[in-house]
Structure formats: C-alpha cells, structure tokens
Amino acid sequence: MVSASGLQSSASNSERGFVWFLPISIMATSAANLNAVRETMDVLLEISRILNTGLDMETLSICVRLCEQGINPEALSAVIKELRKATEALKAAENMTG
C-alpha cells in the first residue's frame, strides 16, 4: 500500500506489484497531457502571430487560463486593447517630457 507521502507500507505481493506500476502510468499520463498542452499552446501562438495580436507566449497563456476560468474573451480583448492604448499614451508623454 502507498501512503499519501508516497512511501510504501507493508502489503501483499499482488498489491505491491500493482503499486509499482501505478506511479509510472500516472507519470506517463502526466507527460502525455503536458505534451498535449504544449502542442495546443504552440498552435494558439501561431494563430496569434498570424492574426498579428502581439501577444507573447506568456501573455497568451495567461489569457487562455483566464478564459478557462470563465472570463469573457471579448471583455479580455477590450481590456488588453485599453492597456495598450494607456501604455502608448504614457510612452508618448514620457518622450515629450524627457
């Protein structure tokens, strides 16, 4: 038997045999999921580049996570546009005073 800490306690031989394979299958599933997430993010980044959104991988990843949490994509897009406008205005003001 495996405890929550991951240490094996005394168990029958058949239970021990099963327990030894369990972490390997979990790791394989996790690795497969991680690869699928990476592939998905690569595709989304390529679409983002084609659409000339100006989003880098980190920003795109944050946007995807926000949408997965229920944030309205159109509202998120509007916020990003407003932040870009504000940033441009600040840069312009800084250039005029500096």
Side-chain angles (χ1 to χ4, degrees):
M1 200 46 105
V2 175
S3 67
S5 66
L7 300 176
Q8 187 169 344
S9 63
S10 60
S12 70
N13 286 338
S14 62
E15 287 175 329
R16 284 189 189 127
F18 176 74
V19 170
W20 285 108
F21 291 106
L22 184 61
I24 294 170
S25 65
I26 290 172
M27 288 190 312
T29 302
S30 296
N33 287 342
L34 185 59
N35 285 337
V37 168
R38 282 187 183 142
E39 287 178 19
T40 300
M41 287 307 300
D42 287 342
V43 169
L44 288 174
L45 185 61
E46 186 60 28
I47 292 169
S48 176
R49 287 182 181 148
I50 290 170
L51 296 174
N52 198 27
T53 64
L55 300 175
D56 60 11
M57 180 62 94
E58 182 180 4
T59 307
L60 182 62
S61 176
I62 292 168
C63 290
V64 168
R65 282 185 268 154
L66 287 170
C67 290
E68 287 174 344
Q69 294 297 316
I71 299 295
N72 182 320
E74 291 177 9
L76 182 58
S77 174
V79 168
I80 291 171
K81 289 177 183 178
E82 287 299 315
L83 288 172
R84 286 182 176 167
K85 285 179 187 176
T87 301
E88 288 176 17
L90 286 172
K91 285 181 182 178
E94 186 178 283
N95 287 338
M96 292 179 73
T97 60

XYZ file of all heavy atoms in Angstrom:
729
model
N 0.835 -1.170 0.000
C 0.000 0.000 0.000
C 0.883 1.238 0.000
O 1.912 1.269 0.638
C -0.839 -0.086 1.270
C -2.107 0.691 1.390
S -3.256 0.690 0.085
C -4.552 -0.331 0.593
N 0.474 2.318 -0.696
C 1.230 3.560 -0.738
C 0.491 4.601 0.086
O -0.698 4.800 -0.082
C 1.406 4.059 -2.185
C 2.077 5.405 -2.198
C 2.187 3.054 -3.001
N 1.229 5.243 0.971
C 0.611 6.283 1.793
C 0.596 7.592 1.029
O 1.157 7.707 -0.053
C 1.390 6.438 3.100
O 2.678 6.948 2.818
N -0.034 8.611 1.608
C -0.104 9.926 0.971
C 1.279 10.508 0.749
O 1.494 11.278 -0.168
C -0.950 10.872 1.819
N 2.237 10.125 1.562
C 3.602 10.642 1.402
C 4.336 9.959 0.269
O 5.438 10.354 -0.081
C 4.385 10.474 2.706
O 4.578 9.091 2.973
N 3.749 8.911 -0.294
C 4.378 8.210 -1.399
C 5.228 7.043 -0.954
O 5.834 6.367 -1.770
N 5.300 6.777 0.344
C 6.094 5.673 0.852
C 5.251 4.423 0.880
O 4.062 4.450 1.184
C 6.613 5.989 2.254
C 7.501 7.215 2.360
C 7.852 7.471 3.811
C 8.753 7.036 1.523
N 5.888 3.304 0.576
C 5.160 2.047 0.529
C 5.128 1.416 1.905
O 6.150 1.290 2.572
C 5.828 1.104 -0.481
C 5.035 -0.155 -0.701
C 5.566 -0.936 -1.876
O 6.310 -0.415 -2.673
N 5.187 -2.173 -1.969
N 3.939 1.048 2.341
C 3.800 0.336 3.601
C 3.693 -1.143 3.304
O 3.673 -1.559 2.146
C 2.572 0.839 4.357
O 1.409 0.558 3.621
N 3.602 -1.957 4.351
C 3.521 -3.392 4.128
C 2.202 -3.729 3.440
O 1.151 -3.226 3.787
C 3.645 -4.138 5.452
O 2.603 -3.754 6.310
N 2.294 -4.578 2.434
C 1.112 -5.011 1.694
C 1.425 -6.356 1.087
O 2.571 -6.805 1.067
C 0.762 -4.000 0.608
N 0.432 -7.013 0.525
C 0.649 -8.312 -0.089
C 1.461 -8.154 -1.367
O 1.592 -7.056 -1.908
C -0.696 -8.975 -0.399
O -1.323 -8.276 -1.453
N 2.010 -9.258 -1.859
C 2.820 -9.217 -3.080
C 2.032 -8.699 -4.271
O 2.557 -7.947 -5.078
C 3.383 -10.610 -3.384
C 4.505 -10.975 -2.437
O 5.125 -10.093 -1.846
N 4.745 -12.263 -2.271
N 0.767 -9.096 -4.392
C -0.022 -8.632 -5.541
C -0.268 -7.134 -5.454
O -0.222 -6.435 -6.456
C -1.348 -9.390 -5.627
O -2.126 -9.147 -4.466
N -0.519 -6.626 -4.249
C -0.709 -5.188 -4.090
C 0.579 -4.443 -4.410
O 0.569 -3.406 -5.052
C -1.159 -4.852 -2.667
C -2.583 -5.241 -2.388
C -2.949 -5.004 -0.940
O -2.070 -5.103 -0.070
O -4.132 -4.742 -0.690
N 1.709 -4.956 -3.970
C 2.987 -4.311 -4.250
C 3.245 -4.251 -5.754
O 3.720 -3.244 -6.262
C 4.123 -5.059 -3.559
C 4.192 -4.788 -2.105
C 5.451 -5.369 -1.497
N 5.377 -5.281 -0.069
C 5.547 -6.284 0.763
N 5.831 -7.489 0.294
N 5.458 -6.109 2.048
N 2.923 -5.314 -6.467
C 3.128 -5.320 -7.911
C 2.315 -4.239 -8.594
O 2.794 -3.531 -9.469
N 1.087 -4.063 -8.172
C 0.227 -3.031 -8.744
C 0.741 -1.642 -8.398
O 0.785 -0.761 -9.235
C -1.212 -3.208 -8.247
C -2.134 -2.122 -8.708
C -2.561 -2.079 -10.031
C -2.548 -1.116 -7.850
C -3.402 -1.067 -10.468
C -3.380 -0.110 -8.285
C -3.807 -0.090 -9.600
N 1.153 -1.448 -7.162
C 1.607 -0.142 -6.713
C 2.835 0.299 -7.482
O 2.974 1.474 -7.817
C 1.889 -0.165 -5.184
C 2.586 1.103 -4.732
C 0.585 -0.351 -4.430
N 3.721 -0.599 -7.801
C 4.931 -0.220 -8.527
C 4.602 0.337 -9.907
O 5.298 1.191 -10.416
C 5.887 -1.399 -8.664
C 6.595 -1.696 -7.378
C 6.382 -2.764 -6.564
C 7.590 -0.902 -6.733
N 7.186 -2.696 -5.455
C 7.944 -1.554 -5.541
C 8.215 0.294 -7.047
C 8.897 -1.045 -4.673
C 9.165 0.792 -6.169
C 9.490 0.130 -5.000
N 3.549 -0.144 -10.552
C 3.202 0.336 -11.887
C 2.352 1.595 -11.867
O 2.332 2.331 -12.820
C 2.480 -0.767 -12.681
C 3.371 -1.898 -13.039
C 3.278 -3.113 -12.398
C 4.352 -1.729 -13.997
C 4.130 -4.148 -12.715
C 5.210 -2.757 -14.318
C 5.094 -3.979 -13.681
N 1.677 1.839 -10.781
C 0.788 2.984 -10.696
C 1.508 4.316 -10.931
O 1.096 5.089 -11.778
C 0.057 2.981 -9.359
C -0.987 4.073 -9.140
C -2.084 3.947 -10.192
C -1.576 3.973 -7.757
N 2.609 4.601 -10.252
C 3.278 5.888 -10.484
C 3.775 6.044 -11.916
O 3.732 7.127 -12.473
C 4.440 5.886 -9.492
C 4.035 4.926 -8.434
C 3.208 3.883 -9.137
N 4.230 4.957 -12.532
C 4.715 5.033 -13.913
C 3.576 5.411 -14.846
O 3.732 6.266 -15.709
C 5.364 3.698 -14.336
C 6.639 3.472 -13.518
C 5.662 3.681 -15.824
C 7.228 2.100 -13.669
N 2.410 4.817 -14.666
C 1.282 5.151 -15.547
C 0.812 6.572 -15.307
O 0.426 7.271 -16.236
C 0.135 4.157 -15.351
O -0.395 4.270 -14.046
N 0.856 7.008 -14.048
C 0.468 8.392 -13.756
C 1.447 9.352 -14.400
O 1.060 10.349 -15.004
C 0.377 8.622 -12.226
C -0.823 7.864 -11.674
C 0.286 10.099 -11.899
C -0.893 7.854 -10.165
N 2.744 9.038 -14.302
C 3.754 9.903 -14.919
C 3.597 9.923 -16.430
O 3.717 10.969 -17.046
C 5.162 9.449 -14.533
C 5.502 9.747 -13.092
S 7.234 9.493 -12.640
C 7.602 7.901 -13.317
N 3.306 8.783 -17.035
C 3.128 8.731 -18.483
C 1.925 9.553 -18.901
O 1.971 10.281 -19.892
C 2.971 7.281 -18.941
N 0.843 9.457 -18.132
C -0.349 10.247 -18.427
C -0.049 11.731 -18.273
O -0.439 12.540 -19.107
C -1.504 9.840 -17.497
O -1.762 8.445 -17.678
C -2.753 10.625 -17.786
N 0.668 12.097 -17.214
C 1.023 13.497 -16.997
C 1.906 14.013 -18.121
O 1.730 15.136 -18.589
C 1.746 13.663 -15.661
O 0.888 13.328 -14.607
N 2.867 13.209 -18.559
C 3.745 13.610 -19.654
C 2.955 13.773 -20.944
O 3.177 14.726 -21.700
C 4.865 12.589 -19.839
N 2.024 12.882 -21.202
C 1.188 12.983 -22.403
C 0.333 14.233 -22.349
O 0.190 14.948 -23.348
C 0.316 11.735 -22.554
N -0.229 14.525 -21.176
C -1.045 15.736 -21.020
C -0.200 16.984 -21.204
O -0.632 17.941 -21.838
C -1.720 15.763 -19.649
C -2.851 14.772 -19.537
O -3.370 14.287 -20.536
N -3.232 14.464 -18.320
N 1.002 16.979 -20.654
C 1.897 18.119 -20.789
C 2.259 18.349 -22.252
O 2.260 19.489 -22.723
C 3.155 17.905 -19.949
C 4.131 19.060 -19.895
C 3.465 20.309 -19.347
C 5.332 18.678 -19.047
N 2.523 17.273 -22.979
C 2.823 17.404 -24.407
C 1.629 17.949 -25.174
O 1.786 18.782 -26.067
C 3.263 16.064 -24.995
C 4.678 15.703 -24.593
O 5.485 16.566 -24.258
N 4.979 14.422 -24.604
N 0.435 17.497 -24.831
C -0.768 17.984 -25.497
C -0.973 19.471 -25.224
O -1.320 20.235 -26.134
C -1.986 17.179 -25.043
N -0.724 19.888 -23.981
C -0.858 21.309 -23.629
C 0.162 22.134 -24.404
O -0.167 23.191 -24.942
C -0.698 21.508 -22.106
C -0.551 22.977 -21.752
C -1.877 20.899 -21.371
N 1.389 21.653 -24.470
C 2.432 22.377 -25.216
C 2.076 22.504 -26.692
O 2.238 23.574 -27.285
C 3.776 21.667 -25.081
C 4.447 21.918 -23.767
C 5.840 21.335 -23.743
N 6.422 21.537 -22.436
C 7.184 20.663 -21.816
N 7.464 19.518 -22.387
N 7.668 20.932 -20.629
N 1.600 21.417 -27.278
C 1.216 21.456 -28.691
C 0.069 22.434 -28.915
O 0.074 23.201 -29.878
C 0.825 20.060 -29.178
C 2.006 19.129 -29.349
C 1.581 17.731 -29.791
O 0.452 17.575 -30.303
O 2.399 16.807 -29.626
N -0.908 22.414 -28.026
C -2.042 23.329 -28.134
C -1.575 24.775 -28.040
O -1.992 25.630 -28.827
C -3.082 23.026 -27.040
O -3.534 21.684 -27.197
C -4.253 23.985 -27.110
N -0.709 25.056 -27.066
C -0.210 26.421 -26.901
C 0.628 26.845 -28.107
O 0.559 28.009 -28.521
C 0.597 26.546 -25.613
C -0.249 26.530 -24.368
S -1.604 27.747 -24.347
C -0.717 29.280 -24.492
N 1.394 25.935 -28.684
C 2.170 26.264 -29.896
C 1.247 26.641 -31.047
O 1.504 27.606 -31.770
C 3.070 25.090 -30.303
C 4.261 24.906 -29.375
O 4.596 25.855 -28.623
O 4.865 23.819 -29.412
N 0.159 25.885 -31.206
C -0.815 26.181 -32.265
C -1.480 27.532 -32.008
O -1.619 28.359 -32.917
C -1.865 25.046 -32.381
C -3.016 25.465 -33.276
C -1.209 23.773 -32.895
N -1.878 27.763 -30.749
C -2.511 29.044 -30.417
C -1.555 30.214 -30.636
O -1.959 31.273 -31.123
C -3.001 29.038 -28.971
C -4.222 28.176 -28.686
C -4.510 28.143 -27.189
C -5.437 28.680 -29.455
N -0.277 30.020 -30.313
C 0.705 31.077 -30.537
C 0.874 31.351 -32.028
O 0.962 32.511 -32.443
C 2.044 30.718 -29.899
C 3.119 31.795 -29.973
C 2.668 33.066 -29.251
C 4.424 31.286 -29.387
N 0.881 30.314 -32.826
C 0.998 30.502 -34.278
C -0.221 31.246 -34.825
O -0.092 32.154 -35.645
C 1.167 29.153 -34.982
C 1.432 29.263 -36.460
C 2.702 30.031 -36.804
O 3.649 30.047 -35.998
O 2.745 30.625 -37.905
N -1.413 30.885 -34.364
C -2.626 31.598 -34.779
C -2.540 33.057 -34.341
O -2.865 33.975 -35.102
C -3.890 30.924 -34.193
C -4.100 29.559 -34.841
C -5.119 31.804 -34.367
C -5.159 28.709 -34.163
N -2.066 33.276 -33.118
C -1.903 34.629 -32.599
C -0.944 35.442 -33.468
O -1.196 36.615 -33.749
C -1.391 34.551 -31.160
O -1.124 35.830 -30.651
N 0.134 34.817 -33.894
C 1.102 35.504 -34.768
C 0.499 35.813 -36.132
O 0.708 36.901 -36.670
C 2.360 34.661 -34.916
C 3.212 34.660 -33.670
C 4.476 33.860 -33.846
N 5.243 33.869 -32.613
C 6.003 32.890 -32.198
N 6.130 31.794 -32.924
N 6.654 32.977 -31.070
N -0.240 34.855 -36.685
C -0.877 35.067 -37.993
C -1.859 36.233 -37.915
O -1.950 37.051 -38.831
C -1.591 33.775 -38.465
C -0.542 32.718 -38.833
C -2.518 34.056 -39.647
C -1.117 31.334 -39.070
N -2.575 36.326 -36.794
C -3.551 37.403 -36.600
C -2.905 38.701 -36.119
O -3.592 39.702 -35.933
C -4.629 36.961 -35.613
C -5.506 35.797 -36.073
C -6.434 35.357 -34.952
C -6.289 36.169 -37.322
N -1.591 38.661 -35.937
C -0.822 39.842 -35.529
C -1.369 40.461 -34.239
O -1.565 41.668 -34.144
C -0.786 40.872 -36.669
C 0.309 41.885 -36.480
O 1.323 41.599 -35.845
N 0.114 43.075 -37.018
N -1.578 39.614 -33.224
C -2.119 40.101 -31.960
C -1.063 40.778 -31.093
O -1.417 41.552 -30.197
C -2.731 38.947 -31.136
O -1.689 38.028 -30.784
C -3.829 38.245 -31.899
N 0.189 40.433 -31.310
C 1.260 40.998 -30.493
C 1.395 40.334 -29.138
O 2.105 40.842 -28.270
N 0.721 39.212 -28.928
C 0.810 38.506 -27.657
C 1.989 37.537 -27.675
O 2.165 36.807 -28.645
C -0.474 37.729 -27.381
C -1.768 38.526 -27.280
C -2.957 37.588 -27.125
C -1.700 39.508 -26.134
N 2.778 37.555 -26.605
C 3.848 36.563 -26.488
C 3.272 35.311 -25.816
O 2.101 35.286 -25.416
C 5.039 37.122 -25.704
C 4.681 37.548 -24.286
O 3.574 37.232 -23.810
O 5.527 38.197 -23.653
N 4.098 34.278 -25.690
C 3.617 33.003 -25.151
C 3.095 33.157 -23.720
O 2.061 32.597 -23.372
C 4.731 31.950 -25.185
C 4.309 30.594 -24.644
S 2.977 29.806 -25.550
C 3.917 28.810 -26.677
N 3.787 33.922 -22.902
C 3.359 34.083 -21.508
C 2.007 34.792 -21.423
O 1.104 34.354 -20.709
C 4.402 34.869 -20.716
C 4.045 35.021 -19.258
C 5.080 35.797 -18.467
O 6.055 36.298 -19.055
O 4.881 35.917 -17.249
N 1.859 35.871 -22.179
C 0.601 36.621 -22.159
C -0.540 35.782 -22.726
O -1.641 35.764 -22.175
C 0.750 37.934 -22.956
O 1.881 38.644 -22.461
C -0.490 38.788 -22.843
N -0.263 35.077 -23.802
C -1.277 34.207 -24.401
C -1.696 33.122 -23.416
O -2.889 32.829 -23.269
C -0.754 33.587 -25.699
C -1.718 32.688 -26.452
C -2.953 33.466 -26.887
C -1.007 32.081 -27.659
N -0.735 32.556 -22.713
C -1.026 31.524 -21.731
C -1.916 32.070 -20.611
O -2.866 31.412 -20.180
C 0.285 30.987 -21.147
O 0.037 30.053 -20.142
N -1.621 33.274 -20.161
C -2.450 33.907 -19.129
C -3.872 34.124 -19.649
O -4.855 33.858 -18.948
C -1.819 35.229 -18.662
C -0.523 34.946 -17.906
C -2.799 36.033 -17.805
C 0.328 36.170 -17.652
N -3.980 34.594 -20.877
C -5.307 34.813 -21.468
C -6.100 33.515 -21.571
O -7.301 33.485 -21.264
C -5.165 35.455 -22.851
S -4.585 37.159 -22.807
N -5.436 32.446 -21.984
C -6.110 31.149 -22.095
C -6.595 30.696 -20.726
O -7.740 30.255 -20.575
C -5.174 30.092 -22.733
C -5.744 28.685 -22.579
C -4.928 30.412 -24.195
N -5.738 30.825 -19.704
C -6.141 30.423 -18.353
C -7.313 31.254 -17.849
O -8.220 30.725 -17.202
C -4.964 30.512 -17.391
C -4.018 29.310 -17.545
C -2.928 29.324 -16.523
N -1.807 30.040 -17.148
C -0.873 30.693 -16.490
N -0.892 30.763 -15.191
N 0.094 31.299 -17.132
N -7.306 32.548 -18.138
C -8.423 33.394 -17.729
C -9.720 32.959 -18.410
O -10.778 32.892 -17.771
C -8.121 34.863 -18.028
C -7.097 35.530 -17.112
C -6.698 36.895 -17.668
C -7.644 35.654 -15.703
N -9.638 32.661 -19.701
C -10.828 32.204 -20.424
C -11.316 30.867 -19.878
O -12.527 30.643 -19.758
C -10.539 32.103 -21.916
S -10.330 33.714 -22.708
N -10.376 29.985 -19.520
C -10.766 28.704 -18.931
C -11.461 28.894 -17.592
O -12.275 28.069 -17.186
C -9.537 27.804 -18.746
C -9.003 27.243 -20.044
C -7.710 26.470 -19.867
O -7.043 26.607 -18.805
O -7.341 25.741 -20.793
N -11.162 29.993 -16.908
C -11.781 30.289 -15.616
C -13.112 31.029 -15.771
O -13.733 31.386 -14.784
C -10.824 31.109 -14.745
C -9.581 30.376 -14.343
C -9.872 29.159 -13.487
O -10.682 29.213 -12.580
N -9.217 28.056 -13.801
N -13.509 31.284 -17.021
C -14.821 31.876 -17.258
C -14.818 33.343 -17.653
O -15.884 33.942 -17.798
N -13.654 33.942 -17.819
C -13.594 35.339 -18.245
C -14.086 35.435 -19.688
O -13.732 34.610 -20.534
C -12.152 35.880 -18.143
C -11.648 35.836 -16.703
C -12.032 37.274 -18.733
C -12.393 36.736 -15.749
N -14.881 36.434 -19.960
C -15.399 36.661 -21.312
C -14.243 37.061 -22.227
O -13.567 38.068 -21.976
C -16.447 37.770 -21.264
C -17.074 38.044 -22.599
O -16.409 38.038 -23.626
N -18.363 38.308 -22.575
N -13.994 36.311 -23.313
C -12.876 36.617 -24.211
C -12.968 38.002 -24.847
O -11.945 38.674 -25.027
C -12.941 35.528 -25.284
C -13.766 34.449 -24.700
C -14.685 35.091 -23.701
N -14.174 38.449 -25.159
C -14.326 39.773 -25.758
C -13.981 40.867 -24.757
O -13.351 41.861 -25.099
C -15.747 39.943 -26.296
C -16.021 39.060 -27.500
C -17.446 39.170 -27.995
O -18.197 40.052 -27.525
O -17.809 38.365 -28.865
N -14.391 40.676 -23.512
C -14.048 41.646 -22.467
C -12.542 41.656 -22.223
O -11.941 42.721 -22.054
C -14.792 41.308 -21.172
N -11.927 40.481 -22.228
C -10.478 40.386 -22.053
C -9.752 41.099 -23.183
O -8.797 41.840 -22.955
C -10.052 38.913 -21.984
C -8.583 38.617 -21.768
C -8.074 39.259 -20.487
C -8.358 37.114 -21.738
N -10.228 40.922 -24.395
C -9.651 41.606 -25.550
C -9.761 43.124 -25.401
O -8.804 43.858 -25.676
C -10.363 41.154 -26.826
O -9.939 41.891 -27.934
N -10.904 43.592 -24.944
C -11.101 45.033 -24.748
C -10.144 45.583 -23.694
O -9.574 46.670 -23.865
C -12.549 45.314 -24.351
N -9.940 44.830 -22.624
C -9.016 45.260 -21.568
C -7.592 45.339 -22.114
O -6.867 46.303 -21.848
C -9.093 44.315 -20.347
C -7.941 44.564 -19.377
C -10.431 44.451 -19.653
N -7.191 44.349 -22.878
C -5.838 44.344 -23.458
C -5.657 45.546 -24.381
O -4.631 46.235 -24.328
C -5.566 43.021 -24.206
C -5.456 41.872 -23.192
C -4.301 43.118 -25.056
C -5.417 40.498 -23.821
N -6.660 45.829 -25.205
C -6.579 46.992 -26.099
C -6.462 48.292 -25.313
O -5.666 49.169 -25.658
C -7.797 47.032 -27.023
C -7.782 45.953 -28.084
C -9.058 46.002 -28.918
C -9.100 44.888 -29.932
N -10.348 44.915 -30.709
N -7.242 48.423 -24.241
C -7.193 49.632 -23.414
C -5.831 49.767 -22.725
O -5.288 50.869 -22.635
C -8.318 49.638 -22.383
C -9.683 49.908 -22.961
C -9.770 51.272 -23.635
O -9.287 52.269 -23.054
O -10.327 51.341 -24.743
N -5.297 48.657 -22.242
C -3.976 48.695 -21.612
C -2.903 49.111 -22.608
O -1.984 49.871 -22.262
C -3.634 47.337 -20.998
C -4.395 46.960 -19.734
C -4.115 45.518 -19.344
C -4.034 47.900 -18.599
N -3.015 48.643 -23.829
C -2.042 49.033 -24.857
C -2.141 50.526 -25.166
O -1.122 51.204 -25.315
C -2.242 48.200 -26.125
C -1.739 46.790 -25.960
C -1.902 45.988 -27.216
N -1.313 44.670 -27.039
C -1.510 43.668 -27.858
N -2.287 43.813 -28.923
N -0.930 42.506 -27.633
N -3.382 51.041 -25.256
C -3.564 52.474 -25.504
C -2.970 53.299 -24.374
O -2.301 54.307 -24.603
C -5.055 52.809 -25.662
C -5.659 52.384 -26.966
C -7.136 52.756 -27.003
C -7.821 52.192 -28.219
N -9.274 52.479 -28.216
N -3.221 52.877 -23.142
C -2.697 53.588 -21.979
C -1.171 53.552 -21.965
O -0.523 54.566 -21.663
C -3.260 52.991 -20.692
N -0.599 52.419 -22.313
C 0.856 52.295 -22.362
C 1.442 53.213 -23.418
O 2.448 53.895 -23.174
C 1.262 50.830 -22.653
O 0.725 49.993 -21.635
C 2.763 50.664 -22.714
N 0.813 53.257 -24.592
C 1.282 54.148 -25.669
C 1.192 55.605 -25.240
O 2.103 56.392 -25.504
C 0.474 53.907 -26.943
C 0.788 52.595 -27.624
C -0.104 52.340 -28.825
O -0.739 53.300 -29.326
O -0.169 51.179 -29.269
N 0.102 55.983 -24.563
C -0.063 57.364 -24.104
C 1.005 57.727 -23.077
O 1.573 58.824 -23.120
C -1.459 57.558 -23.515
N 1.301 56.805 -22.167
C 2.349 57.056 -21.176
C 3.719 57.198 -21.828
O 4.505 58.074 -21.463
C 2.379 55.932 -20.140
C 1.264 55.925 -19.116
C 1.313 54.647 -18.276
C 1.358 57.155 -18.221
N 4.003 56.353 -22.807
C 5.282 56.435 -23.508
C 5.399 57.768 -24.266
O 6.446 58.384 -24.271
C 5.457 55.271 -24.474
C 5.779 53.970 -23.783
C 5.959 52.842 -24.787
C 6.233 51.528 -24.111
N 6.364 50.423 -25.089
N 4.303 58.176 -24.891
C 4.307 59.443 -25.639
C 4.529 60.614 -24.684
O 5.305 61.518 -24.981
C 2.993 59.604 -26.411
N 3.856 60.587 -23.534
C 4.016 61.664 -22.553
C 5.439 61.675 -22.006
O 6.026 62.740 -21.796
C 3.014 61.487 -21.424
N 6.005 60.515 -21.800
C 7.374 60.402 -21.298
C 8.377 60.941 -22.316
O 9.330 61.626 -21.955
C 7.680 58.941 -20.984
C 9.021 58.723 -20.311
C 9.237 57.256 -19.977
O 8.645 56.792 -18.980
O 9.980 56.601 -20.727
N 8.135 60.684 -23.581
C 9.019 61.170 -24.645
C 8.961 62.687 -24.757
O 9.958 63.342 -25.081
C 8.673 60.523 -25.981
C 9.103 59.076 -26.048
O 9.987 58.643 -25.311
N 8.471 58.318 -26.925
N 7.787 63.270 -24.502
C 7.643 64.713 -24.605
C 8.338 65.426 -23.452
O 8.878 66.525 -23.630
C 6.164 65.096 -24.631
C 5.456 64.646 -25.910
S 3.713 65.071 -25.906
C 3.817 66.829 -26.164
N 8.328 64.817 -22.265
C 8.961 65.453 -21.111
C 10.438 65.093 -20.985
O 11.178 65.785 -20.305
C 8.249 65.045 -19.796
O 8.316 63.641 -19.645
C 6.809 65.524 -19.805
N 10.843 64.021 -21.611
C 12.223 63.546 -21.450
C 13.067 63.912 -22.559
O 13.958 64.524 -22.853
